[in-house]
Amino acid sequence: MLPAPTLDVLNEAQRRAVTYGVRRSKGDGLDAGPLLVVAGAGTGKTMTLAHRVGHLVLSGVPPARILLLTFSRRAAREMTRRARRIVGQALADQGRGEAIRLPWAGTFHSIANRLLREYAPNLGLDAGFSVLDRSDAGDLIDVARQELGLGGSDRRFPRKDTCLAIYSRSVNARAALDECLADGWPWCADWAEELRSLFRRYVELKQAGGMLDYDDLLLWWHGLLESPALAAAVGERFDHVLVDEYQDTNLLQAEILARLKPDGRGLTVVGDDAQSIYSFRAADVENILRFPTQFTPGAEVVTLAENYRSVQPVLAAANALMAGAERQFRKNLRSARPSGQRPCYVTVQDDEGQAQYVIEGVLAAREAGQLLRHQAVLFRASHHSDRLELELTRRNIPFVKYGGLKFLEAGHVKDLLAVLRWGDNPRNRIAAFRCLQLLPGVGPALAAKAWGWLETHDYLPAALADWRPPAAAAPYWASLVELLCTMGGGGDWRPQVGLARDWYRPQLERIYEEWPVRLGDLDALEQIAAKFATREQFLTELSLDPPQATGDLAGPPLVDEDYLVLSTIHSAKGQEWDSVYVLNVADGNFPSEFATGKPALIEEERRLLYVAMTRAKTALHLVAPLKYWVPQQPRHGDRHVYGARSRFIDEAMMACMEKRFHGNAEAHAAGSARPAEIVDLGARMRMMW
């Protein structure tokens, strides 16, 4: 178990969570029932979970028998790093220099990928399956859509991205198709039977090509555990299962955990119901709310309420916000950091006034010694920062924006990955079609013919040497076939990335005007690949948890000494800044006008504002424009609408905030020149009658 000096850094509630359970008499482990740690914002959740892992290891639990599930690879690495440091320090104090590894720490999808490859023979699954990313899955849905003739109707059949979203929602929420359509896509309800046919064909194409998409990884893992024998075999591998951000799990993930540990023994989940904001990804806040009564006997519940991030006035406003929530674990966040600076509720005229207020505040804080990158502007939707971005650019203030395009969405990166994926799995139809159509003169029809030739020759790449490409593609054909054959062989795979890039370069120069810039991304991809032992591991990890690159950035922060952070609230979760500005805090945005039809969605909007507010360490500004300008109106129509105060900001919450009005310069100038004369118009009006 953890030594006293290590436990001394924890508060009482954290120590209860870390040490929960009874050490076995032989000292070879720890017996513990189900445990729920309700970790409020900024209460040291990561530190607590890492110490819990360290306590298990020092209590005799072999690290290989600990399953740690997170929602990002970065979180898994951070948790592992902290746990290793904690255990390493404790062992060093005992004169031992051992290092620990947590081989089963990772995301739900990456752990599913490993288990499915191991248990593939039990499932009739090819252990060499490819993992489709979201874009490739959408392309395969489109193939099925075209095969079934669903794209040529006079009526509006859903596009591929919509179809994939419906499919994903149905799988992850464990909901019938009709229910999903009624809840999220009512305009698609008339296409229910056609969608069933489409999804059936989509599944057939995936299985024929040895491919699984993101949703399949969880679905097949869930299916693996439907067998009592297989569920027991997988569950017995792990003495303890720890889950981070449990409020973000969907119903499929919750059922997987219940089958891994049916009695809850050894199961620890950590999360905050007040930060459940991902229902659009099928996350279900009910998973964490019903966890305490899910097992018999019920779970132990430990609430962490001592906040280490924010000053007390910020927490007071956040507590007042959540006091209006109907269904929740009640907690009152408290801080050891006193402050006389209350959060500000700022009324401005419009978008322009909002941008002016933010920039003036940011620059004033910078002059007072606060770095730009220690300040953030958060917003409900990405386009809400458009006016601010224009003004920042005009004033030459560098900024970075999170919530934009991801690295793997760049066309040239997807091109090179398609070549590698086809080499890894010759039956990968989507990768083959993209790769073939990189060649001049090859369109969808010729790509289909080449694919048909490959199918009739048992997917042997060498057989493509006998297929005759169009004249324009002929100079590149032999080298493509040679590359595919090379990638199908053994040996060190990492040089293959360079070979694939060299083959692709002529196409890159032909297809993209700014190809030298794009070539740098491909060099970066080769450097990333060098860290992986196998091509399968590289392609799978890149699909499951892709890195972010300059595609995420707006502006030139990488060549500047400092930059302001702009972010959607969903992308800001887990982050913190000294000063935070939240834009457009008015009804229609908080809550969103699209959420007002359902009480559950309105409550999620409340939690979204809570997440935004609790990112602030010292200063918090909620900015509410009076007018929202509406483009493309009729010539004589209104050009703006008025914003109403958010229904979440009631009198109790307003009492926790400082009210401000920020007018434009012209209004201030007019006010300063106002004459002192007083005219009693009221008396004049009374005399009229």
Side-chain angles (χ1 to χ4, degrees):
M1 59 184 295
L2 290 176
T6 305
L7 291 174
D8 286 343
V9 303
L10 306 174
N11 61 44
E12 182 182 352
Q14 290 172 334
R15 283 196 295 272
R16 281 180 55 210
V18 166
T19 60
Y20 174 68
V22 179
R23 192 170 185 180
R24 294 172 184 166
S25 57
K26 296 181 180 179
D28 60 349
L30 193 77
D31 288 324
L35 171 65
L36 168 62
V37 182
V38 180
T43 56
K45 167 183 65 70
T46 302
M47 181 174 68
T48 302
L49 194 54
H51 277 78
R52 173 72 175 167
V53 173
H55 180 73
L56 293 175
V57 173
L58 292 173
S59 297
V61 180
R65 296 188 63 79
I66 297 174
L67 173 60
L68 175 60
L69 293 166
T70 66
F71 277 85
S72 72
R73 188 168 53 190
R74 183 178 65 179
R77 285 198 302 263
E78 175 64 14
M79 207 76 69
T80 301
R81 184 188 67 80
R82 291 198 189 193
R84 291 180 64 180
R85 179 178 57 79
I86 291 165
V87 174
Q89 183 61 52
L91 293 177
D93 292 342
Q94 300 172 13
R96 300 156 60 188
E98 305 166 26
I100 69 160
R101 289 182 61 251
L102 294 173
W104 288 97
T107 65
F108 274 91
H109 292 87
S110 65
I111 296 297
N113 172 67
R114 289 178 59 185
L115 289 172
L116 290 177
R117 292 187 190 278
E118 182 175 341
Y119 288 89
N122 300 91
L123 301 171
L125 180 66
D126 181 0
F129 61 81
S130 299
V131 178
L132 295 174
D133 63 20
R134 290 294 185 192
S135 178
D136 286 343
D139 289 343
L140 189 60
I141 280 247
D142 210 28
V143 169
R145 187 172 174 265
Q146 298 302 323
E147 281 187 4
L148 297 174
L150 296 174
S153 171
D154 292 336
R155 298 169 59 207
R156 183 177 57 134
F157 189 79
R159 297 179 66 84
K160 65 178 182 180
D161 291 339
T162 303
C163 294
L164 184 62
I166 296 170
Y167 173 86
S168 181
R169 179 75 183 198
S170 182
V171 168
N172 287 290
R174 307 287 287 155
L177 177 59
D178 291 336
E179 180 184 342
C180 286
L181 294 177
D183 285 345
W185 298 269
W187 66 272
C188 299
D190 291 344
W191 295 104
E193 290 307 314
E194 289 83 354
L195 286 168
R196 284 191 181 88
S197 299
L198 174 65
F199 297 154
R200 190 179 306 115
R201 180 57 182 156
Y202 173 57
V203 170
E204 291 171 354
L205 289 173
K206 285 188 293 183
Q207 293 182 2
M211 298 176 284
L212 299 183
D213 62 23
Y214 283 175
D215 304 317
D216 286 330
L217 291 171
L218 296 182
L219 193 60
W220 282 70
W221 188 8
H222 185 275
L224 170 69
L225 300 180
E226 286 181 348
S227 161
L230 292 174
V234 177
E236 287 170 1
R237 301 174 65 149
F238 307 111
D239 292 337
H240 290 268
V241 178
L242 298 92
V243 186
D244 190 20
E245 304 284 10
Y246 188 67
Q247 78 280 350
D248 292 336
T249 55
N250 58 42
L251 192 56
L252 196 61
Q253 290 164 323
E255 290 182 359
I256 287 171
L257 294 170
R259 291 179 178 181
L260 278 175
K261 295 295 177 185
D263 58 1
R265 298 193 65 80
L267 179 59
T268 298
V269 302
V270 181
D272 182 9
D273 56 297
Q275 297 187 67
S276 178
I277 59 173
Y278 293 111
S279 66
F280 64 92
R281 296 179 187 166
D284 190 347
V285 69
E286 288 297 320
N287 287 344
I288 190 170
L289 291 175
R290 62 173 164 251
F291 187 85
T293 58
Q294 184 176 337
F295 306 99
T296 303
E300 178 78 6
V301 179
V302 177
T303 300
L304 307 183
E306 190 169 340
N307 182 284
Y308 295 94
R309 174 188 298 154
S310 306
V311 294
Q312 188 58 47
V314 169
L315 297 183
N319 289 335
L321 171 67
M322 289 309 297
E326 294 182 2
R327 185 160 156 73
Q328 61 170 307
F329 291 111
R330 297 284 173 182
K331 51 189 169 298
N332 190 47
L333 296 181
R334 57 187 183 274
S335 173
R337 298 179 57 203
S339 172
Q341 179 182 351
R342 292 189 297 168
C344 298
Y345 180 80
V346 186
T347 305
V348 296
Q349 289 282 1
D350 50 22
D351 277 353
E352 182 177 353
Q354 182 169 244
Q356 294 291 341
Y357 175 80
V358 170
I359 290 175
E360 289 175 17
V362 164
L363 293 179
R366 180 176 179 272
E367 288 301 311
Q370 193 174 98
L371 295 175
L372 288 178
R373 62 177 176 270
H374 292 168
Q375 305 179 63
V377 183
L378 307 182
F379 30 85
R380 178 69 177 75
S382 183
H383 68 273
H384 287 174
S385 65
D386 289 351
R387 184 67 184 84
L388 176 61
E389 291 177 47
L390 289 173
E391 189 64 19
L392 288 170
T393 302
R394 187 180 72 80
R395 297 200 188 192
N396 197 29
I397 300 173
F399 64 94
V400 56
K401 183 176 180 181
Y402 294 100
L405 292 176
K406 297 295 184 288
F407 182 57
L408 296 188
E409 292 176 1
H412 56 294
V413 175
K414 288 187 65 65
D415 291 343
L416 184 59
L417 288 175
V419 178
L420 294 171
R421 286 187 173 119
W422 193 16
D424 188 63
N425 179 5
R427 294 187 297 157
N428 191 326
R429 179 174 178 172
I430 294 299
F433 270 49
R434 186 178 187 105
C435 182
L436 289 167
Q437 292 181 74
L438 293 173
L439 297 170
V442 177
L446 281 177
K449 290 182 179 179
W451 177 255
W453 177 273
L454 188 64
E455 280 186 311
T456 60
H457 290 79
D458 296 326
Y459 300 100
L460 295 174
L464 288 172
D466 298 326
W467 188 78
R468 181 173 297 178
Y476 312 103
W477 189 255
S479 58
L480 173 61
V481 175
E482 180 182 357
L483 175 64
L484 293 172
C485 292
T486 299
M487 289 193 291
D492 187 1
W493 80 278
R494 279 165 286 203
Q496 297 172 7
V497 183
L499 295 175
R501 185 198 57 207
D502 293 342
W503 176 85
Y504 171 60
R505 180 165 177 165
Q507 316 312 324
L508 176 74
E509 296 177 7
R510 177 177 58 83
I511 297 171
Y512 300 103
E513 290 185 5
E514 299 178 351
W515 64 267
V517 176
R518 296 174 183 264
L519 191 61
D521 285 340
L522 303 186
D523 292 339
L525 196 67
E526 186 174 11
Q527 293 173 9
I528 294 171
K531 301 176 183 178
F532 292 87
T534 67
R535 183 176 57 223
E536 173 271 316
Q537 184 185 20
F538 166 66
L539 293 172
T540 300
E541 289 297 318
L542 208 61
S543 295
L544 296 180
D545 195 4
Q548 298 179 350
T550 52
D552 284 315
L553 308 179
L558 296 183
V559 295
D560 227 293
E561 62 177 5
D562 199 9
Y563 49 85
L564 179 65
V565 176
L566 275 58
S567 176
T568 61
I569 298 172
H570 286 97
S571 297
K573 188 167 175 288
Q575 306 298 312
E576 59 183 38
W577 296 273
D578 289 334
S579 297
V580 169
Y581 298 80
V582 186
L583 303 186
N584 297 329
V585 183
D587 252 33
N589 293 312
F590 294 98
S592 167
E593 59 185 324
F594 300 109
T596 54
K598 295 183 179 179
L601 292 181
I602 292 177
E603 285 306 298
E604 179 163 328
E605 293 292 309
R606 181 191 299 275
R607 297 192 293 267
L608 189 67
L609 180 57
Y610 172 83
V611 167
M613 293 172 62
T614 53
R615 301 311 96 197
K617 297 168 66 176
T618 304
L620 172 65
H621 306 258
L622 305 184
V623 190
L626 292 173
K627 297 179 181 179
Y628 291 88
W629 295 97
V630 182
Q632 300 177 351
Q633 291 293 294
R635 181 178 177 184
H636 301 294
D638 290 336
R639 294 181 58 88
H640 64 265
V641 295
Y642 288 97
R645 193 171 85 182
S646 169
R647 69 191 69 182
F648 299 144
I649 303 181
D650 57 18
E651 293 307 313
M653 186 173 171
M654 284 298 290
C656 300
M657 309 189 74
E658 175 188 336
K659 298 179 185 177
R660 291 183 182 177
F661 175 77
H662 184 269
N664 55 41
E666 289 77 7
H668 283 300
S672 63
R674 178 173 58 84
E677 181 182 357
I678 298 175
V679 179
D680 191 356
L681 285 179
R684 186 184 303 175
M685 298 304 163
R686 291 192 298 271
M687 291 176 64
M688 289 177 62
W689 310 101

